Amino acid sequence: KEGCSLNVFGLRRVILAARLYHSGRAPLVLISGGRQRDMPCAVADVMAELAVDLGVPRSRVLVETASGNTWENAAFSDPILRSLNASRLVVVTDRLHMRRGEACLRRFGYHVERASVPVSDSHPDNVSMLGGAAHETVGLAYYWLDGRLRHGGTARAAQRQPSGSIDDRPRGAEGNRLDVKFPNGPVVILG
């Protein structure tokens, strides 16, 4: 689709997730990310197409296309992951974003294994890196002060049903239901 492209962050995350899939670390890839400003499609859809181009079978790629931030990535992915009986995840994001992404998914009760894109692969210089670190520090503090990460217990999935969400069991991109349990957990990419 015209105007649908990935930034360096999304590109590096998909490449790492495809490597993890091909190495057998996880048998399923869930990509989470909605529409960005001025983009006519959801970032998860563009990332999913790249994952397929990199050899991940379309039937092993799921997308969540309603989220607009890291908290929503976790909240809107939660029903999909629960329908798979997933409790362990291999989370892919860049190193600076990992702490916040991991904290959000842990709040929903998941055991998280980190798979980070190195900072140097996503940031061309030290100024960009410092800006990214400041953004993530503020984001993590905001989520904690807002109570999303501070309280005990496990968060519940989002109350509203996001557009493009699945029914009670997910379907692969080819439309077939995925009834298989994944003991090692799916690879989850935060878009």
Side-chain angles (χ1 to χ4, degrees):
K1 219 178 190 185
E2 190 173 325
C4 294
S5 61
L6 290 178
N7 61 22
V8 69
F9 302 104
L11 178 68
R12 299 288 188 185
R13 292 172 192 180
V14 174
I15 291 169
L16 177 56
R19 284 184 187 145
L20 293 168
Y21 174 83
H22 290 299
S23 71
R25 292 265 307 271
L28 181 74
V29 176
L30 169 62
I31 304 172
S32 178
R35 292 176 71 183
Q36 302 297 309
R37 288 182 219 114
D38 302 323
M39 194 167 162
C41 56
V43 69
D45 288 332
V46 180
M47 293 171 83
E49 286 304 313
L50 178 56
V52 170
D53 289 346
L54 293 172
V56 178
R58 196 170 290 280
S59 64
R60 293 292 163 199
V61 177
L62 296 172
V63 296
E64 177 286 303
T65 60
S67 59
N69 58 50
T70 306
W71 179 258
E72 289 179 354
N73 288 148
F76 296 164
S77 294
D78 182 58
I80 299 168
L81 294 166
R82 293 214 182 278
S83 70
L84 294 167
N85 295 316
S87 61
R88 301 177 63 83
L89 309 174
V90 179
V91 176
V92 174
T93 191
D94 55 293
R95 176 65 186 100
L96 294 176
H97 183 237
M98 182 58 76
R99 189 169 177 202
R100 186 160 49 126
E102 177 184 21
C104 290
L105 287 161
R106 283 189 186 278
R107 186 74 168 87
F108 282 86
Y110 296 101
H111 173 79
V112 173
E113 180 182 338
R114 295 177 174 196
S116 300
V117 173
V119 174
S120 60
D121 286 358
S122 299
H123 294 277
D125 54 46
N126 289 342
V127 173
S128 172
M129 190 181 331
L130 288 172
H135 175 84
E136 289 306 321
T137 300
V138 169
L140 193 59
Y142 174 76
Y143 283 1
W144 189 84
L145 291 170
D146 190 41
R148 298 176 198 191
L149 304 178
R150 184 172 32 156
H151 302 290
T154 302
R156 298 236 184 246
Q159 292 297 323
R160 69 181 177 90
Q161 196 69 347
S163 62
S165 67
I166 59 164
D167 62 7
D168 60 345
R169 287 182 297 159
R171 296 176 183 266
E174 296 168 344
N176 56 324
R177 291 198 187 276
L178 297 172
D179 292 320
V180 181
K181 293 183 183 178
F182 301 100
N184 296 328
V187 173
V188 176
I189 305 174
L190 302 178

